[in-house]
Amino acid sequence: MGGLASTYMMQGKWDKAENLGVKVMELRKEQLGKNHPEILVAISNLASTYMNQGRWEQAEILFKELLEACKTSCGTDHPHTLMVMGNLASCHQNQGRLQEAERLQEIVVERTKIKLGPSHPSTLTAMVNLASTYHKQGKWQQAEECLLHTIDEFRSKFGTDHPRTLTVMANLASAYNAQGKWQEAEKLKVEVLKARKEKLGDEHPDTLGSMSALAITYSNQGRWEEAVRLYLQVIETSKQRLGPDHAADTLETMANLAATYAKQGKLEETEKLETEVMEISKAMFGPEHPDTLFSIASLAVTYRDLGKLEEAEKLLVEVTEKRKLKFGMNHPDTLTGMANLAGTYHLQAKWEQAEKLFIQAIEGSKATFGAGHPRTLTMMANLASTYYEQGRLEESKKLEVQVVEERKAKLGVNHPDTLIGMSSLATTFIAQGLWDEAEDMLSKAVVMMEQVMGPEHPRTVQSTQKLERLRDAMEKEKRKLKKSSKFEDKFKKAIKKLF
């Protein structure tokens, strides 16, 4: 029965796996006793089934039970105990309880180092998991340092083209990507893709995953046609090889393609693809699975961009309420949903509702991630935009200055988010008539955008055009003042002649 439950898990038949897993666990408890090794395996399998269904509270309960049993039967520092502790940390990570996850993972890393050694594969795996939690918290430099260390160890232990080494390299590329180090990310992703093609073949799921990851970097660089070509290739190959409804991999790539269409302004194609993703996700995972809720939220944002504001609002209210009940108020997905709903209120000129929800989301983000986390800063920038649209320019400027300074400290002066924030702040300066300050800030932003993002990136082009318009306006104003000054001089001379 246990073997059949595992087969159901591998096939993604979670309901059948769960039903059988519960029976196996209860039967083994009766026959073998509470702390028998086979009982612990059954509990672990059932907890994993809950995890795959997004039922993290049930998974957490089982992992905690399993952890106590392992401590009793094996000891606090036994590898099995540490492995369960790592699984519990993963559960916390999915629940958005990132600080708890980090604390557990740091314990796992330290104890595994002592028990098995700093270069043992289990220690290195624990460090990779810790880096993942750093990444989710926006601690990208810490994630980068952690992954650089493990890459060297994996390369020396397994070789450069070993699957585990390539996975760590891919994770490091994601850390580079998040920091706006797109050239470094691209270089590493191309290397991983080439190795996987040679080692695993063009149609292996890991190879397709690498192609999709490279497409993300192309999309971030504004190289949308290249990104679209890669995404389409991945989707077609996945459908032919793995079936049109193959779990998260194909759906995630379809969602990423839809996001790239949106960046290109192809909103009808975006809506069509996101609707397809949502329907497949509902059929595969159920209407309240985290992936399904994510797909509904993405479609709602597209409705918003299409001007279908009432439809967008309805969907976002539905998703946000479900996330509150399922994950809690301060879960990352809940906070994202709140911010998107606030953005929809903004477009509807429902200023009070937008402001109230943005502030609520910001406070939740500060509690979950910290005041200087990129997500928190993005929400603050959106609130500043709401103030700007109401003509509350001083409040807008105050927030935008804070966002820019925090991003400089957290992400660096040359990070794309910092540069975008500088461009937005310059817009507020212009509205306040602070043209010299605006020109100074935009000039610096454009120079760095050209270096970091490239001269043809849409954000660079947009900011360059803004700077050109500002300089044209400043030149016209100077000419007016000059004419006015000349007229004033002539008038004074004429008055002197008369008197």
Side-chain angles (χ1 to χ4, degrees), residues 37 40 54 61 63 73 89 120 172 225 254 259 270 314 326 383 400 411 422 434 476 493 496:
L40 303 183
I61 291 167
F63 279 132
S73 59
H120 191 277
L172 177 59
E225 291 301 329
M254 290 168 69
T270 304
K314 183 180 177 182
K326 193 174 183 68
L383 176 59
E400 286 177 312
L411 306 175
M422 290 169 67
L434 303 172
K476 286 177 183 177
K493 288 176 181 177
K496 283 182 180 179

Side-chain angles (χ1 to χ4, degrees), residues 262-316:
K263 289 178 180 179
Q264 292 177 294
K266 298 179 178 179
L267 296 178
E268 288 77 13
E269 290 96 324
T270 304
E271 180 184 2
K272 181 180 178 182
L273 195 54
E274 285 178 338
T275 301
E276 184 181 353
V277 170
M278 180 185 69
E279 294 303 329
I280 295 172
S281 189
K282 281 181 178 178
M284 286 183 63
F285 306 124
E288 296 190 359
H289 188 277
D291 290 351
T292 305
L293 295 177
F294 180 84
S295 67
I296 296 171
S298 297
L299 179 60
V301 171
T302 300
Y303 282 159
R304 187 180 72 189
D305 293 342
L306 284 164
K308 300 178 180 180
L309 299 180
E310 289 183 7
E311 294 96 319
E313 180 184 347
K314 183 180 177 182
L315 280 183
L316 286 169

